[in-house]
Every structure is written in structure tokens, then in C-alpha cells.
Amino acid sequence: AAFVTATLLTTACSQMTVEERLNKAEDALSEDNYKQAIVHLKAAVQQSPTDVRPRIELAKVYFDIGDMVSAITTFDKVLTQRGDINDFADEYFLSLYSMADLDIFEVTFEEFKEQLNTGQRISAELIAAVISGRSRSQEQVEEHLKVARELAKENATPAVKSKIDDYALIINGYL
């Protein structure tokens, strides 16, 4: 009986659409069941390898559980498939930052910064400012903060402008 149930479950799962798998993954995440979400997302990626949506969601789950190597690898694959970096820029750049390979962060940021929307670009500039602060490069810190402030002048909310000021305080006070 257990074998029949397992076979029926496997058959039912193999007949799911990518949308159904994405929904199942979302349901699993709402219950903090990361393993089940990963299973559904990997199946969706295998089912439709050119659809970047399941791969982006999979990378975000890896990020959420702290598996930065898998997150970066998966985000990189999305970029090779011409996915929109704005859909995952915060998680991607934070993953790169967390790996402590600052050169890779800088090269990647330079490559994609013109593609980022204003909000994502501000966030990435702030991460770059923190990296520069950790590297003791005050000149680069000021340059990244200046760019973030210039971007924020035109259409950023007061909360974003306050975030920039908070980053500047932390970098200048603690790094």
C-alpha cells in the first residue's frame, strides 16, 4: 500500500505545471519548509530550464537559508539566461558580499550597475560603500555614498534617504 501511495504521489507530482510547482514552493515557504520548497523549485527548473522564474526563486531560497555558494551559482545561471537583475539584485549582491570575495563583488557590480533600477542601484552602491569601508578606502566610500545620494535626489522616499545617512554613519563610525 505504501508503494502504491508513493507511486501515485510521484506520478501526480510529475504531471504538475511549472506554475503549480511555483505555487507549491510558495506554500512550503509560507510554512518555513525550505527543503520542500527547494524540491519543488528544482523540479520546476528541470521541467522548464529556460524559464528563469523558478531559478530566481530557488536562488532566493538558497540565500534565505544562508547557502550563499548555491545562491550565487544559481543567480549567475539566471544572468546567463538574460534574466533581469532587478528581480534579485539585493539578494545577489548581498550573497557576493557575504562570501568576502570583494573583487568579485566589484567586478559584478561594475558589469551590471547600468542595468539596475534606481532603488537597486542605491542598494548596491551602499553595499559597495560598506565594502570600501572594510577595505579602508575612504575615497571610495565617499564616491559610492555620493552616487547613492545623487540617485536618491530625484525620486527616493525620505526612508531611502535616511537609509543612506544610516549607512554613512555606520561606515564612518564603525568601519
Side-chain angles (χ1 to χ4, degrees), residues 6 29 38-39 47 50 52 54 74 85 95 102 107 109 123 126-128 146 175:
L29 288 173
I38 289 170
V39 167
Q47 183 176 348
T50 59
V52 296
T74 307
I85 193 167
S95 297
L102 305 181
V107 167
F109 176 56
S123 293
L126 293 175
I127 295 168
K146 177 182 171 191
L175 298 181

Side-chain angles (χ1 to χ4, degrees), residues 85 89-97 105 108-109 116 124 127:
I85 193 167
D90 285 344
E91 295 92 343
Y92 183 54
F93 286 119
L94 286 170
S95 297
L96 290 171
Y97 171 75
F105 175 91
T108 305
F109 176 56
L116 297 171
I127 295 168

